[in-house]
Amino acid sequence: MPRLTPQRWASRRQQILDGARGCFLRNGFHATSMKEVVDAAQMSPGAVYNHFASKDELIAAICEQALTEVTETFDQLLERQQLPPLDETLTAVFRHSAPLDAQRDSARLLVQIWAESIRSRSLSDRVEPIFRTVRDVLASLVDGYQKQGAIPVTAPATEIADILLATLQGTILRQAMLGDVNLDALRRGVRALWPQPAQTPASAT
């Protein structure tokens, strides 16, 4: 049997993750069987287990994928010569596909993952370093805003990053519980807390 190309391998892996995500949203982690994941992915059991040996591996992969997208989003902003306004930066993480698309089902999935990481030490060990990476990248962004004068330097960048990360997590939790998050309102709130926008030298004159 010919080997799969890297692109085909990645495509199959994503197909399994998409199927698992749908199962987890409908039934929760514990009520979902690997057979249901196999059926949802429309693959053979061997093909699924070749990618993921257990539900814990699937859950970790979904979380890792989501947090990696957040990190990459912030990294891309750091590469800019001029950072966008802070309110745009914070809400940029909700412009991805599920589970980072600001939909209520997606928020519920992320909250399930957080809860499962409290129960499962193996999952926690995989998720915690990625959370710390997100926080460190966010701290680098805060440092950039402080240098531009958009955020006061009265507190270290790491401490402000913790507050901003908690804001993102709280937004996801509220969306999961109430489903009433309005990103425009969130942006207005951020602008009220940090009213000085990032400006180019030309516009600041």
Side-chain angles (χ1 to χ4, degrees):
M1 182 176 181
R3 287 188 175 184
L4 295 175
T5 64
Q7 294 80 6
R8 182 59 176 159
W9 176 273
S11 176
R12 284 195 173 189
R13 186 178 187 275
Q14 188 60 51
Q15 185 176 336
I16 297 167
L17 288 175
D18 291 341
R21 185 183 292 117
C23 292
F24 294 152
L25 280 171
R26 287 191 299 272
N27 305 318
F29 295 141
H30 297 290
T32 296
S33 67
M34 283 299 287
K35 182 182 182 304
E36 289 173 313
V37 173
V38 168
D39 292 342
Q42 298 181 325
M43 293 183 187
S44 68
V48 172
Y49 280 103
N50 197 31
H51 288 268
F52 302 100
S54 66
K55 282 196 297 182
D56 272 0
E57 287 193 9
L58 281 163
I59 296 166
I62 291 172
C63 186
E64 287 170 354
Q65 189 177 64
L67 294 178
T68 298
E69 286 185 5
V70 174
T71 303
E72 290 175 351
T73 296
F74 289 156
D75 277 337
Q76 290 169 5
L77 294 176
L78 280 169
E79 293 174 358
R80 296 187 184 183
Q81 185 175 6
Q82 186 78 15
L83 292 171
L86 180 61
D87 59 289
E88 293 182 14
T89 294
L90 279 185
T91 53
V93 299
F94 298 111
R95 297 174 188 158
H96 296 278
S97 58
L100 285 173
D101 55 4
Q103 298 302 309
R104 190 175 187 182
D105 280 348
S106 296
R108 285 173 170 169
L109 179 59
L110 287 174
V111 172
Q112 281 190 69
I113 291 173
W114 297 342
E116 188 68 12
S117 68
I118 296 173
R119 185 198 68 83
S120 170
R121 183 62 188 177
S122 63
L123 180 60
S124 177
D125 287 343
R126 296 184 63 170
V127 170
E128 183 178 341
I130 309 171
F131 266 110
R132 293 188 182 280
T133 300
V134 171
R135 186 253 199 179
D136 290 344
V137 175
L138 189 53
S140 297
L141 276 169
V142 172
D143 181 67
Y145 281 112
Q146 288 178 325
K147 290 176 179 175
Q148 290 182 4
I151 292 180
V153 295
T154 50
T158 52
E159 294 179 1
I160 297 174
D162 283 336
I163 298 300
L164 297 179
L165 185 56
T167 298
L168 289 175
Q169 292 171 321
T171 299
I172 293 169
L173 179 60
R174 174 166 178 164
Q175 184 71 333
M177 295 180 64
L178 304 177
D180 65 349
V181 167
N182 183 309
L183 294 182
D184 289 333
L186 176 61
R187 283 190 284 267
R188 288 194 296 271
V190 173
R191 288 196 296 269
L193 289 172
W194 286 283
Q196 184 177 355
Q199 294 180 324
T200 62
S203 63
T205 57

